[in-house]
């Protein structure tokens, strides 16, 4: 009896969907009838068992998702902590190649939320600490591109933050032409983020050159 009610309910749902293309009122009435049938089915022992099993499965899936989320959050916290420890080691000894390698190997594996968390504590301080290291500049630029967006989003990190950081390291080391090129690269990307079409204008190029001139004079 329970199986029969279930099949009748399913058939009525299908008929209701098909009836939508013919007559909305008939489709609505058939849908209501199917609801009555499913209600009757849920009162049977088989229906109650099926509903209980479904609720148990749904609860188990929810608990698994929550456990996975907790594990992911813990793993993310551990990565951030490891990054900050490595940067501290690098701050104490800028020649610590292992600490630098560890930082550069972890950064590419972080998602946007994790990167956003370490912008001020790891990414920008790393650039300031090792501005002449090409790998560092490249890694910071990649992180910047991941974190910034031409679309105005409340959680996007402003591209100007990274452009200003590039200008700062140029001001500290004006004799290194490679840093001028880095400012040009970051600057063009920054200004492209402010344009709807993503294209840098002549005025943007001039603004970048002016910024460079101010920092190296």
């Amino acid at each position: 009896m329970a199986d029969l009610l279930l099949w009748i309910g399913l058939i009525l749902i299908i008929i209701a969907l098909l009836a939508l293309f013919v007559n909305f009122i008939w489709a609505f009435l058939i849908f209501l009838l199917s609801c009555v049938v499913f209600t009757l089915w849920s009162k049977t022992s088989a229906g109650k068992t099926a509903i209980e099993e479904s609720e148990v499965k749904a609860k188990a899936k929810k608990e698994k998702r929550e456990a996975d989320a907790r594990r992911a959050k813990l793993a993310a916290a551990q990565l951030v902590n490891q990054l900050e420890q490595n940067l501290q080691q690098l701050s104490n000894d800028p020649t610590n190649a292992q600490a630098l390698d560890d930082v550069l190997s972890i950064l590419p594996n972080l998602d946007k939320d994790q990167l956003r968390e370490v912008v001020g504590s790891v990414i920008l301080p790393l650039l300031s600490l090792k501005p002449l290291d090409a790998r560092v500049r490249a890694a910071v630029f990649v992180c910047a591109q991941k974190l910034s967006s031409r679309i105005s989003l409340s959680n996007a990190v402003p591209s100007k933050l990274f452009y200003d950081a590039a200008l700062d390291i140029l001001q500290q080391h004006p004799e290194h032409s490679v840093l001028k090129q880095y400012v040009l690269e970051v600057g063009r990307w920054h200004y492209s983020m402010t344009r709807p079409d993503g294209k840098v204008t002549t005025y943007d190029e001039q603004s970048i050159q002016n910024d460079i001139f101010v920092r190296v004079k």
Side-chain angles (χ1 to χ4, degrees), residues 183-203:
V183 169
L184 279 173
E185 185 179 10
V186 177
R188 285 167 180 161
W189 163 75
H190 159 63
Y191 278 101
S192 73
M193 300 292 285
T194 67
R195 304 299 179 190
D197 59 0
K199 295 181 180 179
V200 178
T201 68
T202 303
Y203 298 105

Side-chain angles (χ1 to χ4, degrees), residues 76 80 83-84 106-125 139-140 142-149 151-159 161-162:
V80 169
L83 270 175
E84 292 175 344
I106 293 174
L107 282 178
N109 298 318
L110 300 183
D111 60 27
K112 284 186 178 181
D113 290 335
Q114 293 167 331
L115 286 173
R116 192 176 297 110
E117 186 176 347
V118 297
V119 167
S121 62
V122 174
I123 297 174
L124 294 179
V140 170
V142 168
C143 292
Q145 291 170 313
K146 279 186 179 182
L147 286 167
S148 302
S149 174
I151 303 173
S152 180
L153 297 175
S154 60
N155 62 349
V157 176
S159 57
L161 188 68
F162 297 96

Side-chain angles (χ1 to χ4, degrees), residues 156-208:
V157 176
S159 57
K160 190 175 186 302
L161 188 68
F162 297 96
Y163 179 49
D164 288 342
L167 288 169
D168 287 343
I169 62 173
L170 174 61
Q171 184 173 1
Q172 294 164 11
H173 307 276
E175 71 281 6
H176 290 279
S177 59
V178 67
L179 295 183
K180 292 181 183 178
Q181 186 58 42
Y182 184 65
V183 169
L184 279 173
E185 185 179 10
V186 177
R188 285 167 180 161
W189 163 75
H190 159 63
Y191 278 101
S192 73
M193 300 292 285
T194 67
R195 304 299 179 190
D197 59 0
K199 295 181 180 179
V200 178
T201 68
T202 303
Y203 298 105
D204 297 332
E205 292 281 2
Q206 188 59 53
S207 294
I208 297 171

Side-chain angles (χ1 to χ4, degrees), residues 30-58:
I30 296 171
F31 175 74
L32 288 179
L33 182 59
S34 68
C35 289
V36 173
V37 173
F38 279 122
T39 300
L40 293 174
W41 171 77
S42 68
K43 302 297 183 182
T44 65
S45 58
K48 291 178 180 178
T49 300
I51 292 172
E52 289 175 356
E53 290 177 351
S54 177
E55 290 175 347
V56 169
K57 290 180 180 179

Side-chain angles (χ1 to χ4, degrees), residues 18-36:
L18 294 175
L20 280 173
F21 297 98
V22 180
N23 189 296
F24 176 77
I25 295 177
W26 275 107
F28 181 68
L29 291 175
I30 296 171
F31 175 74
L32 288 179
L33 182 59
S34 68
C35 289
V36 173

